[in-house]
Amino acid sequence: MMIRRSALAVLATLTIGGAAACTDSGQAGESFTPGTPGIGDPYFPTYGNGGYDVTDYALTLRYDPGNDRLEGSAKITAKATQNLSRFNLDFRGPEVSSVTVDGAGAEQKREADELVVTPASGLRDGSTFTTVVTYAGVPQPITSPELGTGGWLATDKGAIALGQPESASSWYPVNDHPRDKATFGLEMTVPSGLSVLSNGVPGERTSKDGWTTWRWRESSPMASYLSTVVIGDYRVTTGTHQGKPLVTAVDNTLPRGSNADKAMARTGEVADFLATQFGPYPFDAYGGVVVVDDRIRYALETQARPVYSNSFFGASTSEWVVAHELAHQWFGDSVSIAAWKDIWLNEGFATYAEWLWAEHDTGVPVQESFDKAYSSVNWGDPSYDPGTSGLFGNSVYVRGGLVVHALRLEVGDDSFFEILQEWANTKRNASATTDEFIALAERVSGKPLRDFLMTWLTSKTPPPKPGS
Ligand SMILES: [Zn+2]
């Protein structure tokens, strides 16, 4: 798959070169050129697209678990960032029957994992335009030998759409990269009796002729891999916390009162503890969904409503994974990465939140967690820029946590927590880089930290522990 992607990128480059030589002119005297088929991430050249910036996705879909068919439309509101003659959306989903741009029919064709859209006339730089893609069929998961299986997974009674670094393109057309964040609304119609969980705040639920439409809205910009939908037989608990909706759901095959239920019941408490460390909770809703599916042996910080494999809630009650995924609401979701090589900014901070939570909840000092990790981590692998095969490796997670604590030891508690809160605050709803984090840490602490942090992030030998 990776080889195929690279080949596609080369092809696309050639195409652009060709098009630039004879630019389409949508309006007299102006030149309009195609947007690039990738957003420019060196790890994943075809992820995302160039030439526009999405502001909102509004999905109106119907799913029938009886035949696995998904049908409906995606309305994508975007702003052109160049004079656009055509543009790409990432889409691996079912057959497209029509595409309109600002209400007018547009040409569309599928090229590998891209939907190429040519509007009837060029889109001027800076203009806002609305694309509606109508499609129907049986969505398929995304499988990569290196990154596992994600995207749309049909289940016995429903479906689960989940995955990192990509999953959204398996069920809706998208600019699939965390650099282009957008608000997100979902209207999903399913057979009555099933539940639909997604991101953000729940909306009105309506039923007709044995079908029920569930509505969800995430009103803070969201990276596309953080969108999810879970359809099935779930025990849904709806309440409020800190004046915001708190919706949790647990697969109904788990007994009532299971460890999964107990962990979900602590969602608000864990979020409140993290808010004392990181600053105000960044979103309009709280929640979590526990799924039982052999293909999902992980948890993911899907925005405002993380999805957890039940495998985390086995014999003992433990909320460390809840602390991890909720920490991502600040670090990963609200503050997103600008490129996948910066992934430690998500995982290092979330690992550190596990240590903070352990100290708060069970009295295990953070220093003890650090010391244990320091002696177990493989220093041969970098935390920053780990390569695609290292994206979810120990060096990103555990070494990332070590980096965060090393920074704390280096600058002291006052500066350290100010750095975390400033980072969450100034980069809220944005995408950010490792360089920007280092610059902010230096500014807040008044100390030069670049060499120190880069050593902790990338040195092949264990750096000396600060203060030792
Ligand atoms: Zn994580």
Side-chain angles (χ1 to χ4, degrees), residues 164 299-301 324-325 328 346-347 350-351 397:
Q164 186 185 21
L300 186 62
E301 61 270 24
H324 181 109
E325 303 311 333
H328 276 310
N346 294 4
E347 302 306 342
T351 300
Y397 287 71

Side-chain angles (χ1 to χ4, degrees), residues 30-86:
E30 287 180 285
S31 93
F32 289 71
T33 53
T36 56
I39 210 165
D41 192 311
Y43 283 13
F44 304 110
T46 65
Y47 280 21
N49 306 282
Y52 64 93
D53 188 70
V54 177
T55 53
D56 183 66
Y57 296 96
L59 312 182
T60 306
L61 298 169
R62 168 184 286 243
Y63 185 63
D64 184 351
N67 58 14
D68 296 342
R69 255 176 87 84
L70 179 73
E71 60 180 66
S73 64
K75 180 178 166 190
I76 302 155
T77 307
K79 192 173 172 182
T81 56
Q82 67 180 64
N83 279 345
L84 267 182
S85 60
R86 67 163 196 260

Side-chain angles (χ1 to χ4, degrees), residues 188-400:
M188 179 67 85
T189 302
V190 298
S192 297
L194 296 181
S195 298
V196 179
L197 288 311
S198 185
N199 307 95
V201 173
E204 194 195 3
R205 208 184 306 164
T206 50
S207 294
K208 196 184 168 196
D209 302 332
W211 292 79
T212 299
T213 302
W214 294 64
R215 295 175 178 84
W216 295 93
R217 174 118 204 115
E218 176 50 63
S219 54
S220 299
M222 175 168 72
S224 48
Y225 77 93
L226 298 171
S227 65
T228 188
V229 64
V230 177
I231 302 166
D233 182 13
Y234 286 82
R235 194 155 55 241
V236 180
T237 306
T238 305
T240 55
H241 182 76
Q242 307 284 13
K244 299 173 178 181
L246 190 161
V247 182
T248 59
V250 175
D251 187 305
N252 242 336
T253 60
L254 295 170
R256 221 167 258 278
S258 68
N259 285 339
D261 292 277
K262 288 176 189 156
M264 289 305 96
R266 294 189 77 183
T267 292
E269 178 195 351
V270 176
D272 287 352
F273 165 70
L274 295 176
T276 67
Q277 311 291 299
F278 305 150
Y281 180 77
F283 299 126
D284 292 341
Y286 298 88
V289 181
V290 180
V291 300
V292 180
D293 194 301
D294 284 343
R295 296 165 296 181
I296 298 169
R297 309 288 292 179
Y298 61 91
L300 186 62
E301 61 270 24
T302 39
Q303 193 155 312
R305 198 149 290 105
V307 174
Y308 306 90
S309 159
N310 178 53
S311 58
F312 288 105
F313 310 109
S316 63
T317 53
S318 169
E319 284 76 36
W320 68 266
V321 68
V322 177
H324 181 109
E325 303 311 333
L326 292 183
H328 276 310
Q329 304 307 308
W330 284 263
F331 306 116
D333 293 15
S334 176
V335 183
S336 293
I337 49 175
W340 284 104
K341 68 180 178 183
D342 294 308
I343 183 76
W344 81 276
L345 288 171
N346 294 4
E347 302 306 342
F349 290 55
T351 300
Y352 196 65
E354 295 171 29
W355 300 351
L356 291 168
W357 173 253
E359 183 171 86
H360 170 78
D361 194 45
T362 60
V364 180
V366 169
Q367 188 62 43
E368 198 177 309
S369 299
F370 172 86
D371 290 341
K372 222 159 120 186
Y374 184 89
S375 50
S376 71
V377 79
N378 175 7
W379 293 98
D381 299 328
S383 196
Y384 168 65
D385 201 359
T388 52
S389 61
L391 211 51
F392 305 119
N394 229 24
S395 65
V396 168
Y397 287 71
V398 177
R399 184 171 178 169

Side-chain angles (χ1 to χ4, degrees), residues 24-27 30-33 80 82-87 101-102 118-125 127 129:
D24 312 301
S25 36
Q27 278 83 10
E30 287 180 285
S31 93
F32 289 71
T33 53
Q82 67 180 64
N83 279 345
L84 267 182
S85 60
R86 67 163 196 260
F87 60 92
V101 175
D102 291 335
T118 307
S121 56
L123 302 164
R124 215 176 247 114
D125 186 10
S127 66
F129 62 99

